[in-house]
Amino acid sequence: MKLELIATATFGLEAVVKRELENLGYKILKSEDGKITFLGDERAVVRANLWLRSADRVQIKMAEFTVLEFEDLFQQMKAIPWEEWIPIDGKFVVNGSSVKSKLSSVPACQSVAEKAVVERLKEFYMVDYFTKTGAAYDIKITILKDRVTVTLDTTGPGLHKRGYRTHSVEAPIKETLAAAMIQLSFWNKDRILSDPCCGSGTIPIEAALIAKNIAPGISRSFASEEWEAIPANLWKEERKAAFEAIDNECKPKIFGLDINPKAIAAAKANAEEAGVDDCIKFAAADISAMRTKSLSGVMVTNPPYGERIGDRRGIEKIYEAYRRFFGENPTWSLFVVTADKSIEKALGRSADRRRKLYNGRLEVCYYQFHGEKV
Ligand SMILES: C[S@@+](CC[C@H](N)C(=O)[O-])C[C@H]1O[C@@H](n2cnc3c(N)ncnc32)[C@H](O)[C@@H]1O
């Protein structure tokens, strides 16, 4: 079936997700405000969930219309062929949001929309009530300036939940953001990557997954895996293809350091869980001890920034270490996500690029300091 699909993403990451979708071979229809709309089919639902590294979730766009009255909302929701997706025992719920719209009460909109779905399915299945004991179907109505977009979530727990981060530390970065930072950097699998404040190892692990071409969703399940409407053989075929696509010969040079030995123990355990412990070297060390003999490399990192952990003196020590390291190694590049606005002053140079991003709800900036050409 031809489907209009939406990959949702954190604001600022639309271009990265768009590129990922294009690399998977899909035609992009629209990319704006954290939503990348593309054309696909049931197999695309499977592939996008398995392979997207920087998106939050994959949704099926069920309808788009304008409403001013609750009765319109009810009728438009009832006109959607829900029975094509939701079986008689489907556990469906409707969630919503409303911004700058006449229908402003979210609970009322949700209730009317859900009633319409119930009525449609009651008529189709000729029953009076639903047990809702089967697979989950999360319907979302997003109302913006009276325009309603209706989507059906195919992902379940967000795509950042790869399944490997079984050991955590304070203030970990989201896996999807780490993957985007790497894809926005100069790094490729033939270059050295170092994260000297690696915490639970998210950035080195995401880099290793990219280097070895491991699908980020290969070890987890998805809401739509339980659906009858997406044939089980598609999941089987695409998982098999993803396993066959793994480049086991690739031996990238990836390093993770952290001053906290407990963080390093967590990072090692997580890398093992992700199946990439063979290509990352982790060590408990202070960043000020970091040295290299390599002519060029890329530091992609997420140091403490005071909002959640780390005191000012600790952060300044890290910046001193950057200054010394990049003074000694001018051909290395630094890519750093932080909410701390003093970094450029502390480094004594302006970033070559800055990008506003979000780590969860926290606004951060991605500073890119490019090294000299070798
Ligand atoms: C924001 S956390 C990094 C989180 C990590 N990206 C993750 O996903 O788990 C910052 C890390 O910097 C480490 N750190 C603080 N000072 C350091 C120093 N001087 N040298 C090395 N690591 C340091 C902390 O122990 C902490 O794990």
Side-chain angles (χ1 to χ4, degrees), residues 165 168-175 177-179 181-182 193-204 255-259 263 287 298-310 314-315 318-319 322 334-340 343 357-360 362-367:
R165 206 156 69 187
S168 204
V169 296
E170 210 181 332
I173 195 168
K174 262 181 107 174
E175 296 83 338
L177 176 58
M181 286 169 70
I182 295 158
L193 181 139
S194 169
D195 177 0
C197 291
C198 73
S200 59
T202 318
I203 294 172
F255 299 88
L257 304 181
D258 199 286
I259 198 165
I287 185 176
V298 178
M299 193 185 281
V300 184
T301 190
N302 155 228
Y305 33 77
E307 297 253 350
R308 292 193 286 186
I309 56 170
I315 295 169
I318 291 173
Y319 294 164
Y322 288 161
L334 170 66
F335 297 86
V336 51
V337 148
T338 179
D340 178 39
I343 184 166
L357 295 174
Y358 290 86
N359 184 21
L362 183 69
E363 187 182 314
V364 291
C365 185
Y366 189 39
Y367 296 91

